[in-house]
Amino acid sequence: MSTKRKSEGKGRASKKSKKNGKAKHDEDMSDFDDEFGSDVSNDGSPANHDEHDPNNDIEDLPADDDSLRVKGPDHLGKVLICGATNWDMVARKSVPKGCKTANKGRNLFSPHVFTPLDNIRVHMVVSGCNAAHSVIITEDWKALVFGRNEKCQLGTGNTERHDVPVELEELKNLTIVGAACGRNHTLFLTDRGHVYACGDNLKGQCGVGSTVQMVEKPTRIRYKGPPIVKIACGAEFSVILDCKGFLYSFGSPEYGQLGHNTTGEYIQSSGKVNYQFEKAPKMLVHYIEKNKDHVTPMQDVDIRDIACGTNHTIALDSKKRVFSWGFGGYGRLGHSDPKDEIVPRHIKFFETQGKGIKSIYCGSSFSICINDFKVAYLFGQSKKTGEANMYPKPMQDLYGWNVRSVGCGITAVVMAADNSVISFGPSPAFGELGHGPTRKSTTTAMEVKALDGLYVEQVACGMHHTLLLARDESEAEKDKINDLPDYEP
């Protein structure tokens, strides 16, 4: 089944009718609002509801208790890269105004050794489906950044693009165990459960308590709750998860992607629709199950993992249930319809499959869930043309593969599974699939032959580039890595 929907970022005018000067939502949630309360009043100001205040929780981990520290991944390896490296031009048709380096960089159609990191072993590679920048977390838990930097998303204090990874002075004395990349902003997670943000903040996506235009250097977000253990970024919003299983979100609520039972919109002067942005982390308090004729609140939801697309979010709880919310176009929420969801809604489809979900991932306009039977489901649209999966559909090409890491771009999917790397994605592609110049795109999953003999620990995809973390423990693995071509910016 296919469906057409106005693309994200174009506004919500086509989805509303105006009546008595007020915007009307696609779906009537008035009963739900009456029972649980809305987060925004009619004039766009925050409604005054009693709810959990994270500022009343513990502020920091005990200084002498290392057992409570947030842990990063144990694996180590060398960084490989493929795809578009002209960061200023990625996903753009014209040179941006004032750009002086637009012609620097090229497309790498097969995996290359990233030579600036040739002598550095790495714990984690990070990018995002909306990002033309990346973060590298090294063996000694330091954050290196590179790529596009027009909105200070690299946190270097300026807007100068960096092709060679650089370390951030503000984070040098911290232990960085995680990161997340939005369209023009970045989050960093420390082992103390603290989150630092930098980049574009016009919609509050950096969570520093204001909508200052840009946060030029990594700044600790305005949050004093339990230690944060996971972070994720959409295009212009962010979601963080604390050690107690509670989610917090901030940034743009335009499509309900913050999960606060509102799109944050209000009518300004002359009938102009404006949005109440969340400038600091705010807890998600409601999770629902929706049937044809009623909405049921769900209790005891303990979130364990999160993933964000451009304007949607999915979450996995301790009972292996999946919830989704935000922009619903092309079925990316898995509810068999294209409606937006402004509160986390349980994806009931997986209850019929006999096994729970163990891992979740998001591309720009699609989602992927993998269950305990090693079955990968895709819903949404992973290509610009053709039909969309309005509900989770098994990816038959991946039956039997033990998938351990997935990178999702705008349309590309790259997976580390068993002793192979598998990728697929439609044209246009710029090398992010790694199949070489003679096969730039493929709509069916194929093994990346250039990586035969290598064990890839982790994969991360940006808009049109892929980072791979290849294990280098044995001499044979080191020799195989050395046989790959070099990429020197």
Side-chain angles (χ1 to χ4, degrees), residues 269-336:
S269 59
S270 303
K272 180 181 178 181
V273 177
N274 211 337
Y275 295 91
Q276 180 76 30
F277 303 129
E278 288 295 340
K279 297 175 285 188
K282 181 177 179 180
M283 177 183 280
L284 279 71
V285 294
H286 306 305
Y287 296 82
I288 65 170
E289 187 169 81
K290 189 180 293 187
N291 296 311
K292 290 182 178 180
D293 54 350
H294 65 280
V295 175
T296 306
M298 299 183 70
Q299 306 298 326
D300 302 321
V301 177
D302 176 22
I303 300 299
R304 296 296 176 85
D305 199 6
I306 48 176
C308 295
T310 300
N311 283 310
H312 77 288
T313 309
I314 61 175
L316 176 67
D317 78 350
S318 59
K319 298 178 182 178
K320 299 185 177 183
R321 300 176 298 189
V322 182
F323 299 83
S324 64
W325 61 98
F327 189 82
Y330 302 109
R332 73 196 71 185
L333 300 183
H335 301 306
S336 300

Side-chain angles (χ1 to χ4, degrees), residues 86-192:
N86 189 347
W87 310 117
D88 293 320
M89 289 300 296
V90 171
R92 288 172 169 167
K93 295 181 180 180
S94 60
V95 178
K97 184 178 180 180
C99 181
K100 299 179 181 179
T101 57
N103 294 323
K104 189 175 182 181
R106 67 182 194 272
N107 295 338
L108 309 175
F109 289 102
S110 63
H112 285 57
V113 177
F114 198 17
T115 54
L117 301 171
D118 198 24
N119 297 318
I120 300 175
R121 301 190 78 204
V122 168
H123 278 295
M124 183 187 296
V125 290
V126 180
S127 192
C129 59
N130 303 285
H133 67 288
S134 303
V135 180
I136 305 294
I137 298 177
T138 66
E139 183 175 13
D140 56 354
W141 304 107
K142 302 303 178 186
L144 307 179
V145 294
F146 67 97
R148 186 183 293 175
N149 194 30
E150 296 167 354
K151 302 289 185 180
C152 293
Q153 56 262 52
L154 298 187
T156 56
N158 56 48
T159 56
E160 180 183 350
R161 160 182 162 169
H162 286 272
D163 294 277
V164 175
V166 296
E167 186 175 355
L168 298 176
E169 189 69 32
E170 287 70 24
L171 302 178
K172 278 188 175 180
N173 296 324
L174 301 175
T175 300
I176 305 299
V177 297
C181 297
R183 176 174 291 151
N184 292 307
H185 74 290
T186 310
L187 301 184
F188 302 92
L189 175 66
T190 76
D191 68 330
R192 305 290 296 174

